[in-house]
Amino acid sequence: MNEMPVGLNSRDRILWAAATLLGEGPGAALSVRKVAARAEVSTGSLRHHFPTQRALMDAVLPIVYDLVFTDDGIHDATIPPRDRLVAALQRLLAPEGAKTKPREDWLVAVDRYVRTEPTRATRAEYLALERELLRRIEFCLGVLREEGALAGGDDARRARYLVTVVTGLSVAQAFPAEDTRLQTEIEVLYTAVDYLLKQ
Amino acid sequence: MNEMPVGLNSRDRILWAAATLLGEGPGAALSVRKVAARAEVSTGSLRHHFPTQRALMDAVLPIVYDLVFTDDGIHDATIPPRDRLVAALQRLLAPEGAKTKPREDWLVAVDRYVRTEPTRATRAEYLALERELLRRIEFCLGVLREEGALAGGDDARRARYLVTVVTGLSVAQAFPAEDTRLQTEIEVLYTAVDYLLKQ
DNA sequence: ACCTGAACACCGTTCAAGT
DNA sequence: ACCTGAACACCGTTCAAGT
């Protein structure tokens, strides 16, 4: 059992409590009272620092993610190509210093590019964003190709395919999900990536 | 306002109540008491026929879906497996008698499951929808497996992977796109599907 | 077997009251 | 500003009791 670090203020105790609860396997969901109890804080105090459960989640998740995904080298040849590619895609999914949250990102994106009839300008803007995503993925594929880890074929087509998978996963991040979301996400990425690599 | 059909037994009244509640726009989620009230039945009776909310959801969704979708054509052995699977996925992407368009569907879905704080009920509702999608894809995979067209492996995992791809494509349908969208869509589907099938 | 409705153990949020 | 804890309006599930 984890001991609570000493000397933390209430807000950090709450974050610590929520993070450790999340780290306790499936079924260990965040409830107000559980988090408050572990943080040794009242529910009122919890609500003072985090007005809704979503606000709490949005504060905790980036912390948990950053603990898991640190490395960022697609060039690191000591790591198997498939792991590097998966890690790269995961970073696209949840950028390094992201203050943005998947839900808000989706709301903004939908309002901007779907709700209103897109003007020429917003349309171009979205297509540019999409191209940038494709560019990043194609770059990663290029690195792996130079190592000979990639079978012959159309990398542009593969990049479009991977962008689709990443997009599908980012939807899953914004919509409700089971507690096993992160595990499913990794599984799907490996399934998608293994197809492209030589075995 | 819908009138309840006469002459239904309790179980069917419950199913009718749940189905009509699902059809009532954002914010109308399934709770035990709401369904029981509309069905003019006690919560205990509801629980007698459907021991959990999940059981209720899993009973209602196929009914709602079957009102929209007809046969998948997944059994037609005169067509190559990959083409049948791609066709089935394409049908999930744009249902046969669909009156709604991708853009509107996305707006409704985002409003219902992302914009507003998801309650336990709307959350359960979305997860049940997702399960129904998985169920249908797993069914298609099962048919192909019986024909020996599928390599050994975890079909549940494959279904999650295909759901992700389909979701990614449905996003592309709602957001701005180049005019080559349809071609890209088919390309991506074949790329995703070919991985799963024996060659 | 089918049904009732109270009771139980939760949930997230609000708020008057304290420091 | 920070914190408390009771109260509120929900939720899904259980169960003794009826028909």
Side-chain angles (χ1 to χ4, degrees), chain A residues 80-85 141-153 155 158 190-199, chain B residues 195 199:
Chain A
R82 66 197 289 265
D83 296 325
R84 273 181 284 160
L85 188 49
L141 290 178
V143 171
L144 298 183
R145 173 169 299 287
E146 275 177 30
E147 293 179 20
L150 216 59
D155 277 355
R158 285 165 165 164
Y190 273 109
T191 307
V193 159
D194 281 343
Y195 170 41
L196 303 180
L197 302 174
K198 291 177 175 173
Q199 51 272 53
Chain B
Y195 168 42
Q199 53 276 47

Side-chain angles (χ1 to χ4, degrees), chain A residues 10 33 41-42 44-45 48-49:
Chain A
S10 291
R33 288 164 184 81
V41 146
S42 70
S45 178
H48 176 257
H49 291 289

Side-chain angles (χ1 to χ4, degrees), chain B residues 1 4 16-18 20-21 24 33-40:
Chain B
M1 184 53 188
M4 179 159 67
W16 172 86
T20 56
L21 272 170
E24 287 182 5
R33 288 162 185 81
K34 250 188 240 171
V35 174
R38 175 165 298 196
E40 293 171 14

